[in-house]
Amino acid sequence: MKLEQILQGLPTRSVTGPEDPATLDITDIVYDSRKAVAGTLFVCMAGAETDGHKYARSAYDAGCRAFVLQEGHEDIASLGDVPEAPTVITVENSRAALAQLSDNFFEHPSGDLKVIGITGTKGKTSITYILQSVLNAAGVPTGLIGTAGAAWGGKQVPTVNTTPESYELQKMLRQMADDGMRAVAIEVSSLGVKWHRTDFIEFFCGVFTNISPDHIGGHEHDSYEEYYSFKKAFFSLCSRAAACGDDPSARDMLEAVPGRKIFYGLGEENEFRAVNMVPTRYDDFMGIRFDFLRDGTPADTFEISLPGDFSVHNALAALSVCELMGLAPAAAKAGLRSVRVPGRCQIKYLSDEFGIIIDYAHNDISLAGIIETVRAYHPKRIITLFGSVGDRAQLRREELGTTSGKLADFTVITEDDPGFEDPRRIAEEIATYVEKAGGAGKYVVIPDREEAVAYAVAMLEPGDFLLCCGKGHERFMKVRGKKEPFNEETCIEEALAKRGIKL
């Protein structure tokens, strides 16, 4: 593609160089100097931890001859004394520029899809999977992008951030559109909005789940107010939206939305509402059934194959999106009943004898939530298996240990991203809090997580539920500065095989 086409509409401070942008061919856009080669356009971004302008010379040495610099960073780029003058485009904000350049380069892919953005503190990942399941079942081929990666049409692509960098986001949207997808559900993080990753995406609609303090401090948000403001700013990109009306911030969040707004939830003031929620378990199904009310009038009954009241909220979000897309609520039935969310209350094994659930719960609130959710199904015992991260978040060890000691019937304490700390020492520290909370004599410390899973699965008796918490969808363990491969699902499958159970 010609550079002139890639720069279309981009506000520039200056464009200098020996070649006319109308004739200069660009094969790709990069922002990592290790990917720079002849024919690429290198965008230098000033990040929270490093400045990409420092690597401009490395990109030049690799053959790159076209650069985007942020105004005021020209000296850092050190391109003034190179043997062959490159083409240099100077912009006010190179991160914002990357979004527009990428949108141009991939020929505005969001215009070829119904893009659904989901934001909020909790529930984003689950709703993307629920929407994908519902819309696929309703005959609308749908992809998803978020924390657990991107998936569409049988393809799986890993992602680094909840909301990927704008280039990756636009590239995946183009691939999805070319592969026949008609919709995509994207997790929209506050940092994704702050760092311009969602700029120049045409959102068909937005969904707001809830909000509470999160991602504050360090290289994230300076305050809760800033965090809130970027969540709200997302909805200025949406012409229509749905929000959980049970959250006090819902109506303020959607203030800038000019078109249709649907508020869903359990409260009587919501247009889409659920009542008569019943935890349901039969055959290989474990979830919750509820009656759906529209403007207070009974409309239908649904089942979602994910336990807990929060799953009902997520189902209502999906029903709201169906409404915004012109689909009848009944079109969601099959997708709701068959949905699976990796690592989020994921039912790994279920039989008349016992059940095993994988969940990402890694703090006291989420651990208490999953225990209380499963307790509604009247198990004989709830056995928790978890650890806590090393090198930071020391208070979490006390919170997790106390919660399990109070609420679980037995606790298997193991490792979870120990980092540079001794996993046994972390586990033993957690054990002291389990004991103080009433779990004395009802726990075991097994630092190796694979061994811990094998032990926990082997001890299961009729009526028991095992909750493997903390790792969720992750496929690694952070140990001494490295990401060591680890797959909780595989460990469970191997442990079940030793009991003569094959999945």
Side-chain angles (χ1 to χ4, degrees):
M1 181 179 284
K2 302 300 181 185
L3 179 60
E4 183 180 58
Q5 295 173 275
I6 298 173
L7 296 178
Q8 188 175 10
L10 180 71
T12 59
R13 292 291 195 251
S14 64
V15 180
T16 61
E19 291 198 54
D20 184 345
T23 62
L24 182 58
D25 285 314
I26 298 296
T27 58
D28 203 356
I29 301 171
V30 299
Y31 56 91
D32 183 336
S33 62
R34 293 168 294 186
K35 297 179 181 179
V37 295
T40 57
L41 173 64
F42 182 57
V43 181
C44 304
M45 296 196 298
E49 298 181 10
T50 187
D51 189 336
H53 294 79
K54 295 178 181 178
Y55 305 97
R57 190 61 177 263
S58 296
Y60 178 90
D61 292 340
C64 184
R65 292 295 181 269
F67 296 83
V68 174
L69 309 184
Q70 186 162 304
E71 189 176 29
H73 293 249
E74 295 89 344
D75 290 344
I76 300 173
S78 302
L79 294 173
D81 59 348
V82 293
E84 180 186 344
T87 297
V88 177
I89 301 102
T90 306
V91 297
E92 180 182 1
N93 185 314
S94 57
R95 189 175 288 275
L98 177 65
Q100 188 166 4
L101 294 167
S102 301
D103 182 47
N104 287 338
F105 184 73
F106 292 109
E107 299 180 308
H108 320 293
S110 61
D112 297 333
L113 296 157
K114 281 185 166 61
V115 182
I116 305 153
I118 301 96
T119 197
T121 303
K122 297 177 182 177
K124 297 187 296 297
T125 299
S126 294
I127 291 176
T128 58
Y129 277 90
I130 293 169
L131 280 171
Q132 185 182 52
S133 179
V134 164
L135 295 177
N136 278 339
V140 182
T142 300
L144 65 82
I145 302 173
T147 305
W152 72 95
K155 296 181 179 179
Q156 298 278 341
V157 176
T159 54
V160 176
N161 302 303
T162 295
T163 306
E165 198 58 75
S166 58
Y167 171 86
E168 278 74 27
L169 204 49
Q170 295 285 359
K171 182 178 181 179
M172 286 187 285
L173 292 177
R174 172 46 60 205
Q175 291 171 329
M176 290 182 186
D178 289 349
D179 286 345
M181 297 300 106
R182 289 167 50 198
V184 56
I186 300 177
E187 291 186 55
V188 177
S189 68
S190 56
L191 292 172
V193 178
K194 178 178 180 179
W195 293 112
H196 301 282
R197 294 170 188 159
T198 54
D199 288 7
F200 295 93
I201 290 179
E202 181 182 327
F203 285 94
F204 172 77
C205 69
V207 176
F208 169 70
T209 62
N210 51 65
I211 192 164
S212 57
D214 200 7
H215 300 292
I216 298 167
H219 297 307
E220 298 187 296
H221 293 292
D222 293 335
S223 64
Y224 174 70
E225 289 72 24
E226 182 187 287
Y227 172 63
Y228 186 101
S229 71
F230 281 109
K231 291 288 188 189
K232 185 175 180 178
F234 163 65
F235 289 97
S236 65
L237 307 175
C238 304
S239 58
R240 56 186 74 79
C244 179
D246 295 341
D247 189 289
S249 301
R251 282 158 179 80
D252 181 62
M253 277 286 169
L254 269 55
E255 184 180 33
V257 177
R260 178 76 189 279
K261 304 175 189 180
I262 298 175
F263 293 97
Y264 63 84
L266 308 184
E268 293 183 2
E269 71 281 4
N270 293 297
E271 178 184 353
F272 281 22
R273 186 178 167 215
V275 297
N276 303 327
M277 296 176 293
V278 180
T280 306
R281 179 184 173 187
Y282 54 88
D283 300 329
D284 62 346
F285 179 89
M286 179 177 174
I288 192 162
R289 184 174 66 246
F290 64 94
D291 292 332
F292 171 57
L293 276 61
R294 183 171 184 164
D295 288 324
T297 302
D300 210 335
T301 298
F302 292 90
E303 287 182 327
I304 182 168
S305 57
L306 297 168
D309 289 356
F310 53 85
S311 296
V312 175
H313 277 102
N314 295 341
L316 289 171
L319 291 172
S320 300
V321 171
C322 284
E323 172 78 6
L324 294 173
M325 293 182 69
L327 298 171
K333 280 198 171 185
L336 287 176
R337 200 184 179 286
S338 61
V339 66
R340 295 288 185 271
V341 182
R344 267 52 173 198
C345 210
Q346 176 188 350
I347 301 167
K348 178 60 183 174
Y349 178 78
L350 183 65
S351 70
D352 292 337
E353 193 173 4
F354 57 80
I356 302 173
I357 290 177
I358 299 174
D359 194 80
Y360 193 52
H362 55 280
N363 59 37
D364 58 326
I365 296 174
S366 54
L367 181 60
I370 186 65
I371 294 173
E372 290 166 356
T373 293
V374 174
R375 189 70 72 185
Y377 294 84
H378 309 294
K380 175 185 174 184
R381 291 187 304 172
I382 290 180
I383 299 162
T384 58
L385 181 149
F386 64 90
S388 188
V389 297
D391 307 326
R392 59 184 176 87
Q394 310 299 321
L395 181 60
R396 191 173 291 173
R397 301 173 192 180
E398 178 179 356
E399 294 172 343
L400 289 166
T402 300
T403 299
S404 191
K406 286 181 178 178
L407 301 180
D409 299 295
F410 193 85
T411 304
V412 180
I413 309 168
T414 185
E415 62 183 334
D416 184 345
D417 294 342
F420 288 92
E421 286 195 66
D422 179 359
R424 177 172 289 278
R425 193 189 69 79
I426 297 174
E428 288 176 347
E429 183 180 342
I430 294 170
T432 62
Y433 298 113
V434 172
E435 286 199 11
K436 290 178 182 177
K442 297 186 292 182
Y443 74 88
V444 64
V445 171
I446 305 175
D448 183 281
R449 192 161 182 129
E450 185 173 351
E451 292 179 10
V453 170
Y455 176 92
V457 172
M459 72 176 289
L460 290 172
E461 299 174 357
D464 287 349
F465 260 92
L466 169 62
L467 311 182
C468 296
C469 298
K471 296 306 293 178
H473 65 281
E474 293 178 347
R475 294 293 179 262
F476 57 83
M477 187 83 69
K478 294 179 181 177
V479 181
R480 298 195 172 278
K482 296 181 180 180
K483 286 187 175 181
E484 302 287 349
F486 178 81
N487 188 325
E488 193 115 275
E489 289 196 64
T490 301
C491 293
I492 293 170
E493 290 167 6
E494 290 174 351
L496 285 171
K498 292 178 180 178
R499 292 188 62 148
I501 300 170
K502 291 188 178 182
L503 299 184

